[in-house]
Amino acid sequence: MAANNSVVGGELSTYKFNDRVIVVQVLVSVFLCINFLLITTLFMKDFYTAMRYILFAITLLSDSLFLIMTDFLLILSYIKISMQIWLCVIMYIVLSMYTFVTPVTLTAMTLERFVAICMPLRHGELCSTRRALHCILIIHSLSSIPCIVILSIFFASAPFSFYTQGRICSVEIFIFYKWQGHLRSAIQQLYFFIMCIAIVFCYVKIMKVAKAASGENKKSTWKGLRTVILHAFQLLLCLIQLWCPLIEAAVLQINLLLFINVRYINYVTFILAPRCLSPLVYGLRDEIFFHALKYYALCGLYKQQSSNVS
């Protein structure tokens, strides 16, 4: 959670920490502008009728919500404004779920590419618009499981008076015992392991089809394979995010200043960065979507220029 980057940030000088906050604001603003343009393109055309574009829209919407909320918590913690625990619980529910929505959706998008390349005759049946809506429900259900487990233990452990206290909102306030932190890490590692297996499985299967294909099919299959590779890299960054709490907990035992620096680097590298790679993997590499994106990005001038050239 972005607020975690500054929970103990009071130990640093104001000038140094202020530089970090400004960097985050610039990055978040750029990513949100890009996401807004991509979302506008998706809804202005009929892209929402295809499963891969529907899932793409889900990643953009979830990433945008996640960035806005984490940035908000980062600013609150920087200016040291606390909130009541019940309000922090609500924010934690949303952020915890959407921490997993992006990697789980990316895994679903990889499976969709696997079906398109390895099972082309059943792609229309398995990846219909109706199936996409069912897939969205499954994604959010799977993403909410870690949050349900952590909060169930928290509600059983916390006294009623605790909910009216004012604290700087961070995930640490929901951890009362060490074993709760270990359980949280175990759940995250389980998700990491399952999603890695799915990615490797799809990659191997698509590689076999690519070697056996010929002509136009071979070119199309290798293009799909390159997309899966780039997609796997993006997913890897998202999955490493699930290991960050375990690494940060170990670093905290060594040095407080090192913990603050590591947490900031983790936020920029494994939370902000993966959420700007979606446009590269699923936007710019898709020819149809790319032309639509250029049209709206240039306010219709691209289409007019193309007509003049023709």
Side-chain angles (χ1 to χ4, degrees):
M1 196 179 295
N4 295 352
N5 297 316
S6 52
V7 170
V8 288
E11 300 292 331
L12 294 176
S13 64
T14 303
Y15 173 77
K16 189 172 183 179
F17 194 77
N18 189 46
D19 285 346
R20 294 184 172 188
V21 173
I22 292 174
V23 169
V24 171
Q25 300 313 303
V26 172
L27 291 174
V28 169
S29 299
V30 171
F31 297 161
L32 287 177
C33 288
I34 294 173
N35 283 0
F36 177 75
L37 178 60
L38 293 169
I39 292 169
T40 301
T41 303
L42 283 169
F43 284 99
M44 292 297 288
K45 293 288 187 179
D46 292 335
F47 289 111
Y48 50 81
T49 58
M51 186 174 190
R52 62 173 171 165
Y53 295 123
I54 293 174
L55 295 178
F56 182 35
I58 293 300
T59 62
L60 293 174
L61 291 170
S62 64
D63 288 348
S64 299
L65 177 61
F66 188 86
L67 289 176
I68 291 171
M69 292 187 67
T70 53
D71 188 48
F72 174 70
L73 290 177
L74 175 66
I75 294 172
L76 286 184
S77 57
Y78 168 61
I79 58 181
K80 298 181 180 178
I81 294 181
S82 60
M83 65 175 65
Q84 290 192 337
I85 300 298
W86 66 267
L87 181 57
C88 186
V89 168
I90 295 174
M91 300 194 72
Y92 173 76
I93 291 173
V94 177
L95 285 174
S96 177
M97 183 173 68
Y98 282 97
T99 296
F100 287 91
V101 163
T102 293
V104 174
T105 305
L106 293 174
T107 305
M109 293 172 79
T110 302
L111 292 172
E112 187 274 335
R113 287 293 84 199
F114 161 74
V115 173
I117 294 172
C118 300
M119 307 169 63
L121 297 179
R122 300 197 61 192
H123 182 260
E125 174 191 351
L126 296 176
C127 300
S128 63
T129 304
R130 184 179 179 183
R131 292 291 179 92
L133 297 178
H134 294 163
C135 186
I136 292 171
L137 291 176
I138 293 172
I139 287 170
H140 283 77
S141 298
L142 291 174
S143 301
S144 63
I145 291 175
C147 174
I148 292 173
V149 173
I150 297 301
L151 286 182
S152 296
I153 299 173
F154 168 74
F155 291 144
S157 305
F160 183 76
S161 59
F162 184 75
Y163 298 102
T164 58
Q165 296 180 14
R167 298 282 187 91
I168 293 179
C169 189
S170 71
V171 69
E172 281 78 13
I173 65 175
F174 300 104
I175 307 297
F176 288 102
Y177 309 103
K178 267 190 174 182
W179 64 267
Q180 289 177 284
H182 295 325
L183 176 62
R184 174 170 167 255
S185 297
I187 294 173
Q188 291 173 334
Q189 291 171 43
L190 177 63
Y191 273 66
F192 181 98
F193 181 68
I194 293 173
M195 286 186 276
C196 282
I197 290 176
I199 290 294
V200 172
F201 171 80
C202 292
Y203 177 83
V204 171
K205 290 294 185 180
I206 293 174
M207 177 68 77
K208 289 181 179 179
V209 173
K211 288 182 178 180
S214 60
E216 289 297 321
N217 288 337
K218 192 177 188 69
K219 183 179 178 181
S220 176
T221 303
W222 279 104
K223 182 179 179 181
L225 186 63
R226 287 194 297 269
T227 300
V228 170
I229 292 172
L230 288 174
H231 178 49
F233 175 70
Q234 180 194 17
L235 187 60
L236 177 63
L237 293 179
C238 289
L239 294 177
I240 291 176
Q241 175 193 342
L242 303 181
W243 284 73
C244 289
L246 189 63
I247 298 171
E248 292 166 4
V251 172
L252 182 59
Q253 304 299 320
I254 301 173
N255 184 276
L256 178 61
L257 184 60
L258 180 62
F259 166 78
I260 296 169
N261 292 330
V262 168
R263 176 162 277 187
Y264 176 78
I265 292 171
N266 285 343
Y267 177 63
V268 173
T269 306
F270 302 118
I271 294 180
L272 292 185
R275 285 165 171 80
C276 77
L277 288 177
S278 289
L280 174 64
V281 178
Y282 287 98
L284 302 182
R285 286 181 59 83
D286 189 292
E287 187 175 350
I288 298 175
F289 183 82
F290 178 64
H291 286 306
L293 179 63
K294 286 181 70 174
Y295 174 79
Y296 289 109
L298 299 176
C299 302
L301 293 177
Y302 169 71
K303 186 176 181 180
Q304 185 177 4
Q305 290 173 358
S306 298
S307 300
N308 293 335
V309 172
S310 300

